[in-house]
Amino acid sequence: TEAPRFHPHAKGRNIRLDPQLRRATRKSSFCNGITFSQRPVRLYEKVRLRLSEVNSCWSGALRFGFTSADPGELGLADIPKYACPDLVTRPGYWAKALPERLALRDTVLAFWADRHGRVFYSVNEGEAVLFHCGLSVGEPLWAIVDVYGITQEVTLLESTVADSVGASRLCTARLSSYLPQSSHDSANYSNNQLETNQVAAAKIATLQLGHCGQPPACCCSPPALSSSSAAGRLLRGLGAALDSDLRFHPVRGSDVGLSPDRAAACAHVLDSTRTLVFTDRPLHVGETLFVEVGPHGQSYFGALLFGMTSCNPGTLRAGELPADPECLVDRKEYWVVYRGLPMPSPGDVLSVTLLPSGEVHHGLNGASRGRLLCVDSSQVLWVFFGLQGAVSHLRILGTLHSSLPPASLSNSPAGSTDDSDSDLAFSVNRSSSASESSLVTAPSSPLSPPVSPVFPPEVAPPTSKNAECTVCFDQEVDTVIYTCGHMCLCNDCGLKLKKQSNSCCPICRRTIKDVIKIYRP
């Protein structure tokens, strides 16, 4: 079957198409890359595309799906920056994100819809993954391809015809993407009236969710602390008993079990993906949390994930916790997702400390490793982890309250190469009102935490003339923020941001007292 072509007019403002309408390239920024197919896609027709260019300086990856709305009727003003969550909140649009670990250059992605309103995808002709449900199949469907984040260019290939996937095949298919990845998908998921109880039962059997309430063997009886272990040495070195009032919250990913006292968490499903665990109370300013890494599980994509959020886990449901934690930054609350933690060894003790300045410091086995990231310390923040990759078991040892980072912070170099704040390591969003939503940092956009806490305006660090404003991503940076000294805005955005109530720096979240335009020679 001939390859579909991209719609020549219905596209984001950063998209450029080749003359054959088969290659879409995002020319700048990380968003405004939404495209559609020129014609409707038939049921069981595989839309196949190659990720021909990938740019690692961004975060997040391709979004794709279908729509029953004719894209030819859309004007440029009707096409938003993001497919998720902007498009999927509209009736007749269904889309989700490709996991970033799969978004490699020259990867061939295929996705299709069947007569039951289900969407499947496969990577490099691999096994089918049930991706979405509830499409309206009684009307034409156009493909949506959002060339987002690290995905810089995609090329449409010839279409093929997919086989029908019945309930028996779903029993052995990968179904980790079945549940909604965020609250924006919930309405589409609830509208699915075509899934049978047999398919749902097959999914439950496949993911072993029937046993998620039972703690795994490795969590039931946490091993006693050995005086020679890293945890034992740490406790002796601290010279004070740790507070034990902090535990994991009962609300967690469906692939995670907790010990009876909720001090230990363990991913107990092979190839686990829904493995988020939260603390049952916020981390106080000046408080250090110590967690011990248990025996390593099966090696898989990803590593231990760390994050902080203003969202009370008690308000969440297990079905809202996504397989890809990057989707959390699309929610309305404040979320910080950090993916750059070095791989710990079994028995290692990790620590994280929240300082009044908003800096989060981390340590390993009692030795400080320096600043990890910066957060908005004016908000109440819960800690969460994703038990991904080889790290499948964590145990909370306790907390210690202090105004300074623990152990040897003053004697430890904070600028080591493996502990530097990476632009690529984390994603942030910030809860905002509708009036300011266009001026806050966009979900999954790269941020650079401050290298030094304060820069006077007259000695602001030099910035490349080609640096983009961290708010609009269009104009060049030419404005410094007083008093934090960050030079990250164009003058137009700086003036707009200054006028807002409780305005703060997009980088460090410190209060903006003034913005000063810089004139280069």
Side-chain angles (χ1 to χ4, degrees):
T1 305
E2 182 184 5
R5 300 174 188 270
F6 288 111
H7 200 286
H9 308 300
K11 57 186 178 69
R13 62 184 178 87
N14 286 336
I15 286 293
R16 302 294 183 269
L17 302 176
D18 71 334
Q20 289 74 38
L21 303 179
R22 289 189 176 176
R23 185 172 65 250
T25 306
R26 194 185 70 248
K27 286 298 185 182
S28 60
S29 187
F30 65 97
C31 58
N32 282 305
I34 295 176
T35 63
F36 300 89
S37 61
Q38 186 177 24
R39 62 166 174 83
V41 176
R42 295 179 289 274
L43 296 180
Y44 297 99
E45 179 185 357
K46 284 187 177 182
V47 179
R48 300 174 63 246
L49 50 90
R50 175 180 289 109
L51 309 189
S52 42
E53 288 293 338
V54 172
N55 188 340
S56 61
C57 72
W58 300 110
S59 180
L62 185 81
R63 276 83 164 121
F64 61 97
F66 292 96
T67 177
S68 58
D70 185 351
E73 298 177 359
L74 296 175
L76 182 60
D78 298 322
I79 301 177
K81 287 185 176 182
Y82 315 104
C84 303
D86 297 342
L87 277 183
V88 297
T89 55
R90 302 179 185 179
Y93 290 87
W94 302 268
K96 286 186 180 179
L98 180 70
E100 189 171 337
R101 66 178 184 268
L102 302 178
L104 305 176
R105 182 171 180 173
D106 292 329
T107 291
V108 175
L109 170 72
F111 62 98
W112 64 97
D114 70 3
R115 62 187 179 89
H116 299 296
R118 303 174 301 195
V119 177
F120 296 85
Y121 80 88
S122 66
V123 173
N124 296 327
E125 306 301 331
E127 61 184 354
V129 178
L130 180 57
F131 192 54
H132 219 317
C133 296
L135 269 69
S136 177
V137 296
E139 47 193 332
L141 294 172
W142 286 262
I144 301 172
V145 177
D146 185 359
V147 187
Y148 175 83
I150 66 173
T151 310
Q152 194 81 31
E153 180 181 276
V154 296
T155 303
L156 284 171
L157 307 175
E158 289 76 14
S159 299
T160 58
V161 178
D163 296 330
S164 177
V165 180
S168 60
R169 287 186 59 194
L170 282 175
C171 293
T172 57
R174 290 178 57 199
L175 298 166
S176 60
S177 300
Y178 181 91
L179 290 175
Q181 291 188 346
S182 71
S183 59
H184 303 296
D185 295 324
S186 299
N188 293 336
Y189 180 80
S190 300
N191 288 335
N192 174 31
Q193 303 299 322
L194 300 173
E195 287 300 312
T196 65
N197 292 335
Q198 292 176 335
V199 174
K203 174 191 178 295
I204 292 174
T206 302
L207 292 184
Q208 306 173 26
L209 296 183
H211 303 288
C212 68
Q214 301 295 327
C218 61
C219 288
C220 289
S221 302
L225 286 178
S226 167
S227 60
S228 61
S229 67
R233 294 193 301 270
L234 172 68
L235 294 179
R236 292 200 312 273
L238 290 175
L242 298 180
D243 294 332
S244 58
D245 64 321
L246 187 144
R247 292 289 186 266
F248 287 116
H249 199 283
V251 174
R252 78 274 188 187
S254 54
D255 293 349
V256 178
L258 301 179
S259 61
D261 61 357
R262 290 190 280 110
C266 184
H268 55 85
V269 177
L270 184 64
D271 204 19
S272 301
T273 54
R274 299 183 181 276
T275 58
L276 289 178
V277 288
F278 299 82
T279 56
D280 60 359
R281 68 162 173 82
L283 190 67
H284 304 311
V285 172
E287 187 175 25
T288 301
L289 169 65
F290 296 91
V291 295
E292 182 183 20
V293 177
H296 280 181
Q298 296 288 333
S299 295
Y300 190 57
F301 296 107
L304 179 66
L305 176 143
F306 167 78
M308 303 189 77
T309 178
S310 65
C311 178
N312 185 341
T315 64
L316 298 172
R317 294 176 297 177
E320 294 178 328
L321 299 178
D324 180 8
E326 294 293 336
C327 299
L328 293 170
V329 298
D330 291 336
R331 293 178 58 93
K332 63 181 180 179
E333 306 94 350
Y334 178 83
W335 293 82
V336 180
V337 179
Y338 187 88
R339 300 177 284 107
L341 283 172
M343 178 64 70
S345 301
D348 280 351
V349 177
L350 304 177
S351 65
V352 290
T353 306
L354 176 60
L355 301 184
S357 63
E359 293 185 357
V360 177
H361 285 242
H362 73 306
L364 180 67
N365 297 329
S368 174
R369 304 291 295 273
R371 186 181 60 234
L372 191 68
L373 50 86
C374 292
V375 297
D376 183 1
S377 60
S378 66
Q379 303 200 48
V380 176
L381 298 174
W382 283 260
V383 171
F384 63 91
F385 295 94
L387 306 184
Q388 300 175 339
V391 179
S392 59
H393 183 184
L394 281 183
R395 181 157 63 105
I396 295 178
L397 297 177
T399 60
L400 186 65
H401 198 279
S402 172
S403 59
L404 295 174
S408 54
L409 174 62
S410 60
N411 299 324
S412 175
S416 57
T417 56
D418 58 340
D419 298 316
S420 60
D421 294 308
S422 169
D423 289 353
L424 309 180
F426 63 95
S427 301
V428 181
N429 83 343
R430 175 174 176 268
S431 178
S432 59
S433 65
S435 63
E436 66 177 349
S437 61
S438 63
L439 293 177
V440 300
T441 306
S444 294
S445 61
L447 299 178
S448 298
V451 175
S452 178
V454 175
F455 286 111
E458 63 270 16
V459 292
T463 304
S464 167
K465 291 186 177 181
N466 295 323
E468 291 180 332
C469 170
T470 58
V471 171
C472 67
F473 290 95
D474 284 330
Q475 300 189 61
E476 291 184 3
V477 169
D478 63 359
T479 297
V480 67
I481 297 175
Y482 177 75
T483 57
C484 70
H486 280 113
M487 191 170 176
C488 58
L489 303 172
C490 67
N491 193 244
D492 291 342
C493 291
L495 293 175
K496 291 178 183 178
L497 196 59
K498 177 187 173 183
K499 293 178 182 178
Q500 296 179 10
S501 60
N502 300 321
S503 60
C504 60
C505 172
I507 302 298
C508 65
R509 311 302 185 197
R510 292 185 175 92
T511 301
I512 295 178
K513 294 186 177 180
D514 201 357
V515 293
I516 303 170
K517 187 170 183 179
I518 301 298
Y519 295 91
R520 296 185 178 90

